Amino acid sequence: GAVVSQHPSRVICKSGTSVKIECRSLDFQATTMFWYRQFPKKSLMLMATSNEGSKATYEQGVEKDKFLINHASLTLSTLTVTSAHPEDSSFYICSVRSGASGNTIYFGEGSWLTVV
Amino acid sequence: AQSVTQLDSHVSVSEGTPVLLRCNYSSSYSPSLFWYVQHPNKGLQLLLKYTSAATLVKGINGFEAEFKKSETSFHLTKPSAHMSDAAEYFCVVSEARNFNKFYFGSGTKLNVKP
């Protein structure tokens, strides 16, 4: 399967600051990446679909100006949480879509964000 | 519309006994079906997938799943549970008409008792 690197794995930031999470596809070029948020003991909630070279498609209820997504290259998508608040503390996971072996998504290791 | 139902939120088995995690789906189009495993504080790892080839799919770590169209099911099984299998398992469905849509089940937490 594909190798997806997500960084940082854990980050603590102060309220009001911004933090960036990177998602890299290490062994193939990904035109589509996805960002999820996972609350404790819950399933994944899709936040947005990141498309290389174009604007991300956000799910209903997700603030575009708060969760900035950039997919500037075929191997890198970034999620920036702007003006972070404690309620933004969560586990964020990215995935990449591969069509090579039957439309499959592969996940990063996730990033724990704690806003203090 | 697509939907995925994982019938059990928690399953508890003893080490060495069989595992059955149930998943039912609804799909109007040819579905692709996946099982992922998530260990605590980790991302999701692909266990196996069905994409219209053989209906019995073998995955990693001894897991397998059978696609049953008549029952709209894709249950995950393993003959003998190991302590390291304790984790959260997600059933995921996508359909041929929209490659960017993946539908997640609510997850099943597998507990393995010594």
Side-chain angles (χ1 to χ4, degrees), chain A residues 46-51 54-59 64 69, chain B residues 101:
Chain A
L46 180 65
M47 299 174 66
T49 301
S50 170
N51 303 297
S54 64
K55 292 183 178 180
T57 303
Y58 288 82
E59 295 299 303
K64 301 177 182 181
I69 291 172
Chain B
K101 281 293 185 184

Side-chain angles (χ1 to χ4, degrees), chain B residues 96-107:
Chain B
R97 64 173 177 166
N98 190 337
F99 288 147
N100 281 342
K101 281 293 185 184
F102 293 84
Y103 300 87
F104 286 75
S106 54

Side-chain angles (χ1 to χ4, degrees), chain A residues 11-109:
Chain A
V11 58
I12 301 173
C13 71
K14 293 184 178 180
S15 287
T17 62
S18 296
V19 61
K20 180 184 289 186
I21 301 171
E22 294 185 345
C23 179
R24 294 183 183 274
S25 176
L26 297 184
D27 54 359
F28 75 96
Q29 294 181 327
T31 55
T32 306
M33 295 186 181
F34 304 92
W35 287 97
Y36 306 83
R37 184 172 178 175
Q38 187 176 30
F39 293 97
K41 300 182 180 180
K42 296 290 185 183
S43 187
L44 278 69
M45 180 190 80
L46 180 65
M47 299 174 66
T49 301
S50 170
N51 303 297
E52 187 270 335
S54 64
K55 292 183 178 180
T57 303
Y58 288 82
E59 295 299 303
Q60 192 172 8
V62 178
E63 297 177 61
K64 301 177 182 181
D65 295 332
K66 180 164 191 60
F67 299 100
L68 300 179
I69 291 172
N70 183 281
H71 194 156
S73 79
L74 288 170
T75 58
L76 174 65
S77 176
T78 61
L79 167 68
T80 301
V81 182
T82 63
S83 187
H85 288 108
E87 55 264 32
D88 299 325
S89 299
S90 191
F91 191 54
Y92 294 89
I93 310 176
C94 72
S95 71
V96 304
R97 185 181 70 82
S98 170
S101 55
N103 200 41
T104 303
I105 47 175
Y106 298 92
F107 290 83
E109 284 290 288

Side-chain angles (χ1 to χ4, degrees), chain B residues 12-32:
Chain B
S12 185
V13 301
S14 296
E15 190 175 22
T17 64
V19 175
L20 170 64
L21 305 182
R22 298 182 292 168
C23 174
N24 286 90
Y25 69 93
S26 66
S27 173
S28 303
Y29 298 87
S30 300
S32 293

Side-chain angles (χ1 to χ4, degrees), chain B residues 37-55:
Chain B
V37 60
Q38 184 181 31
H39 290 275
N41 302 317
K42 296 289 187 181
L44 280 68
Q45 179 185 16
L46 179 66
L47 279 177
L48 49 79
K49 61 182 179 182
Y50 166 79
T51 55
S52 77
T55 56

